[in-house]
Each structure stands twice: as C-alpha cells, then as structure tokens.
Amino acid sequence: MPNIVFNIAKGRVGEYYNRVKSNDPANSAFILVPIETSGLEADATLIDVDTLAALLAGTTNEQTTMGRKTLTDADLAAVPASDDTNDRFDISLPTVTWTAATGNAISKIAVCYDSDTTSGTDANIIPLTMFDFVQTPSGADIQMIGGVFFRAS
C-alpha cells in the first residue's frame, strides 16, 4: 500500500494503469524509481510534486546504481474488477527483481507513469504513488514482492 498518492495522481491511478495495460499510447509504461534513504524529504513535502523531475529536484535522490524498472502492458495483470464486497478498488504491481543490486541504501519506491518511454524527460513523467521499501543493496538480488500499490475506497 502506498504511503502517499501524489496530489497530481489522485483519482487517476486506475486510468493510468488501464492506459499502460491497454497499450494506449503504445509506448506508455509504469516506471519504478528506487529512492535513496539519504536526503529523503518528508512525504508531506513530496506529495505536492507534479513530475519525477520535481520529485528529484530537492534533496530526495534516485538510487541510480540499482536503476529504474519499466513495466509495460505485458508486465501488468488485467485491470482488476472493483471489490464490491469491501467497497474499494485495488491495483497491484507484479514481483520485480533488481539483479545483483549495489549502491546506496533505499527507503522508498516511487511508481510513476510515462506516456512515451521513447522520448521525453523526467519532466514528462508523472509520479503516482510512493511506498516504503527499505533495502541496503549488497550485491545480492533485491526482490519487491508484488502487491497492492494503490487503493481507492
């Protein structure tokens, strides 16, 4: 579950998931960005950013040694049905592995939407959610077990 849903994405995460899963536009994807522990700004500050560039413009740092993970339509499960029993709508990510991960410790993963992975910059990538994922890379694989990254209720 996310610690935060960025203000720009509130009410839109399901739409972005559907766009990636539907391959509309063709080069859209979710981008998983590991965020370093050092310099991490408070969630209350970060929730207001509108782009990945803005997320990384302050003291918050991307952990670039591990690298970003790109999830395309083929990586995502079908758009889920709403959970009428519990009156909510959950969207999950698949399990993702960073192989032989090294570099600085991380505390969070930012889930972002990129409408065109073939062009543009971080200024074009929209941050959707961010959740705790505390890891200290040691050269071993780091696996993020799939699960709910967004819940509308």
Side-chain angles (χ1 to χ4, degrees):
M1 290 293 291
N3 293 89
I4 62 171
V5 177
F6 293 91
N7 288 334
I8 194 167
K10 289 184 176 168
R12 301 181 73 194
V13 176
E15 167 194 350
Y16 288 130
Y17 188 95
N18 186 47
R19 293 200 68 153
V20 173
K21 186 58 186 170
S22 299
N23 207 23
D24 173 34
N27 297 314
S28 61
F30 277 169
I31 310 296
L32 304 182
V33 183
I35 303 296
E36 289 186 353
T37 302
S38 178
L40 181 61
E41 295 165 277
D43 289 352
T45 299
L46 298 175
I47 199 168
D48 295 330
V49 302
D50 293 340
T51 66
L52 180 56
L55 176 68
L56 302 173
T59 61
T60 298
N61 298 308
E62 174 180 357
Q63 208 280 29
T64 57
T65 309
M66 283 176 54
R68 299 176 183 185
K69 291 292 184 177
T70 301
L71 303 177
T72 66
D73 58 317
D75 300 309
L76 301 179
V79 176
S82 52
D83 180 349
D84 293 335
T85 301
N86 295 302
D87 298 325
R88 64 185 185 213
F89 182 71
D90 290 343
I91 303 174
S92 296
L93 292 174
T95 296
V96 176
T97 303
W98 281 266
T99 305
T102 60
N104 295 334
I106 65 169
S107 285
K108 294 185 182 279
I109 298 289
V111 180
C112 304
Y113 171 75
D114 188 349
S115 65
D116 187 356
T117 58
T118 63
S119 65
T121 65
D122 288 355
N124 304 106
I125 298 175
I126 300 168
L128 304 178
T129 69
M130 190 163 59
F131 57 86
D132 291 340
F133 189 70
V134 178
Q135 299 287 322
T136 302
S138 65
D141 291 356
I142 291 178
Q143 190 172 66
M144 181 190 80
I145 303 300
V148 175
F149 82 100
F150 175 76
R151 172 174 285 161
S153 57

